[in-house]
Amino acid sequence: MSDWVKAEITGRHAWADGLYSMQFEGPVADFKAGQYIKVALDIEGDRVGRPYSLVNPPQERPLEIFFNEVPEGPLTPRLSDLGPGEQVWLSEKPGGIFTLETVESAETLWLLATGTALGVYLSILRTSDPWERFERVVLVHGVRHATDLTYGETLAAIAERRGGRFGFVPAVSREPVPGAMAGRITALLTSGALESHVGAVIAPHSSHVMLCGNSAMIKEVKTILEERGLARHRRHAPGQYTTEQYH
């Protein structure tokens, strides 16, 4: 992914302190829902880029990313200061295999996210693929604070379109929030509270689970799933869970 193209920022939204989405128009190749692009700036003579999953579905433009500002990082403090009309570099070709392309159909698709990892699922959910291959889709978004719960209008539109086939479960770990489960995703899985709340069980014969977010969550949930008999999905060895790791 060494070929870069210039893109113009067409929109920027601050959801909370240090939490942003940004839209771009640029000549990026077609992508599959679940893939990412790299966004870069030229800083002190070096091109500094990082990968970000695309939030928009493949059939829609502009391109959109969802990211946290890392105060000590080389890129995001500068990126978050930019606005419409300014330019960035984007990788011409999207990458990544965190897609439904080779995943086998099942009764329930579980989408587990922490923080900004929500974005990749918004792309997947706004395609036909999950709705053609799964009877039900459950999205769980784990955050620390209520202000970290984002994209409410987008989620409401998906729910309105898909009805009872779509379930959204916000999980907030550091403060009580009406309508949200209290605790981390891993604790809610271990206790059985999440599945009881949803009314479905994560099991090899009925489920596929996608994991995206911080490394601690992914590591712990992988252990939980494997203890239940679920295997990691690979393109040439189908399994029941798929992972994407941000850091």
Side-chain angles (χ1 to χ4, degrees):
M1 293 181 59
S2 58
D3 293 333
W4 298 97
V5 294
K6 283 187 177 181
E8 181 176 317
I9 298 172
T10 60
R12 171 190 176 277
H13 181 74
W15 295 96
D17 186 26
L19 190 60
Y20 300 91
S21 57
M22 189 168 280
Q23 296 81 37
F24 312 96
E25 288 287 358
V28 172
D30 291 342
F31 70 97
K32 296 180 176 69
Q35 291 191 302
Y36 65 86
I37 55 171
K38 285 187 177 180
V39 180
L41 296 173
D42 290 334
I43 301 171
E44 297 177 358
D46 293 320
R47 185 158 297 168
V48 180
R50 296 289 184 270
Y52 296 97
S53 293
L54 288 160
V55 177
N56 58 294
Q59 70 275 13
E60 294 183 9
R61 292 295 184 273
L63 301 167
E64 182 171 350
I65 63 169
F66 182 37
F67 66 97
N68 283 309
E69 180 182 304
V70 181
E72 67 278 12
L75 178 64
T76 54
R78 293 171 172 85
L79 182 62
S80 62
D81 279 343
L82 300 180
E86 298 188 86
Q87 292 189 329
V88 299
W89 293 101
L90 302 181
S91 54
E92 182 181 17
K93 296 180 180 179
I97 57 172
F98 191 67
T99 70
L100 290 176
E101 187 175 16
T102 62
V103 170
E104 295 183 342
S105 300
E107 181 179 332
T108 306
L109 176 64
W110 296 80
L111 308 175
L112 308 186
T114 56
T116 57
L118 172 71
V120 68
Y121 295 135
L122 298 180
S123 180
I124 292 171
L125 287 166
R126 288 182 285 172
T127 67
S128 61
D129 211 15
W131 312 105
E132 292 173 351
R133 301 179 40 207
F134 300 90
E135 297 176 22
R136 189 179 183 192
V137 181
V138 178
L139 169 62
V140 184
H141 187 202
V143 299
R144 295 178 178 179
H145 302 285
T147 52
D148 299 324
L149 294 172
T150 55
Y151 285 96
E153 290 184 5
T154 302
L155 291 165
I158 295 169
E160 182 177 1
R161 182 176 182 185
R162 302 300 176 180
R165 296 182 63 198
F166 176 61
F168 173 59
V169 182
V172 184
S173 62
R174 295 195 177 179
E175 60 180 328
V177 177
M181 299 194 76
R184 296 167 61 238
I185 289 175
T186 47
L188 297 172
L189 271 175
T190 302
S191 68
L194 175 61
E195 289 154 289
S196 177
H197 178 80
V198 171
V201 175
I202 297 176
H205 69 277
S206 63
S207 309
H208 191 91
V209 183
M210 299 185 80
L211 309 173
C212 189
N214 71 68
S215 57
M217 182 276 285
I218 291 175
K219 182 178 180 180
E220 290 180 43
V221 173
K222 283 171 59 176
T223 299
I224 294 169
L225 297 179
E226 290 175 5
E227 287 174 349
R228 297 188 184 193
L230 283 76
R232 182 171 181 174
H233 176 73
R234 292 176 170 82
R235 297 179 72 87
H236 303 295
Q240 297 82 38
Y241 76 84
T242 305
T243 66
E244 177 84 311
Q245 199 156 309
Y246 273 17
H247 50 77

